[in-house]
Amino acid sequence: MAEHDFRYNLLNPEHTLIECRALAPGRYQVTGNGGSIQSGDVLLVTLKGSRELSMRLQADKVRHLINPRGQWVAVASGPVFGELAIFNWQVKCDACQAQLDFEFAVDAALGKKAQAPAAEARINELGWRKQNNRHLCPQCIDKEVA
């Protein structure tokens, strides 16, 4: 099992994602070029409408096309959501006032109540922490620990 990175920010023309579309919640059809994809491989793909968010898909079936050479189509499994919504939020460090502009994704069907927990999970992924209702950047977390 190999991992293949098809995120847009890599801009690698020999290894590109052509299309990724949902077939059903948790099932995706991915079309790409290059990478020698096999069943069981993991594909990292950028979320549509996002600058930096990606998801991991596991290729279940792969069909390599004869023409155009190097192109393939895979059916993959991944995160289950009804309708994905991407939000851009900002948070300031309460110690040094550093600002973090970040994106996070949430299932739109879960409504507004799901946004804050998803945002907190995302800032934790980015190294920030919320302690006693204060947001702290990674540098200030290190200062408090030391």
Side-chain angles (χ1 to χ4, degrees), residues 58-78:
Q58 173 117 21
D60 297 329
K61 294 189 290 186
V62 180
R63 184 170 49 109
H64 294 272
L65 305 178
I66 296 170
N67 194 11
R69 189 166 190 251
Q71 192 167 330
W72 48 266
V73 177
V75 175
S77 55

Side-chain angles (χ1 to χ4, degrees), residues 78-91:
V80 177
F81 52 83
E83 181 182 342
L84 187 66
I86 297 174
F87 294 95
N88 294 297
W89 281 13
Q90 296 176 341
V91 65

Side-chain angles (χ1 to χ4, degrees), residues 13-146:
E14 293 85 35
H15 197 78
T16 57
L17 179 71
I18 297 168
E19 178 186 39
C20 180
R21 64 185 183 100
L23 299 172
R27 299 290 291 168
Y28 302 88
Q29 179 177 304
V30 184
T31 305
N33 194 35
S36 300
I37 307 301
Q38 303 296 319
S39 293
D41 286 356
V42 173
L43 310 174
L44 288 172
V45 298
T46 302
L47 292 177
K48 185 176 182 178
S50 172
R51 295 182 318 265
E52 61 194 42
L53 297 175
S54 61
M55 66 179 168
R56 299 171 72 83
L57 303 176
Q58 173 117 21
D60 297 329
K61 294 189 290 186
V62 180
R63 184 170 49 109
H64 294 272
L65 305 178
I66 296 170
N67 194 11
R69 189 166 190 251
Q71 192 167 330
W72 48 266
V73 177
V75 175
S77 55
V80 177
F81 52 83
E83 181 182 342
L84 187 66
I86 297 174
F87 294 95
N88 294 297
W89 281 13
Q90 296 176 341
V91 65
K92 280 194 177 179
C93 177
D94 290 311
C96 72
Q97 300 303 308
Q99 181 171 299
L100 172 67
D101 296 318
F102 67 100
E103 291 182 323
F104 67 95
V106 66
D107 190 337
L110 298 175
K112 196 166 183 87
K113 67 181 181 294
Q115 292 178 12
E120 287 296 325
R122 179 67 177 146
I123 65 170
N124 285 337
E125 287 175 13
L126 297 171
W128 286 56
R129 296 290 176 261
K130 185 174 182 180
Q131 297 175 347
N132 302 325
N133 276 342
R134 294 178 28 168
H135 287 102
L136 297 174
C137 69
Q139 291 80 16
C140 293
I141 292 169
D142 291 342
K143 288 179 191 174
E144 286 197 5
V145 172

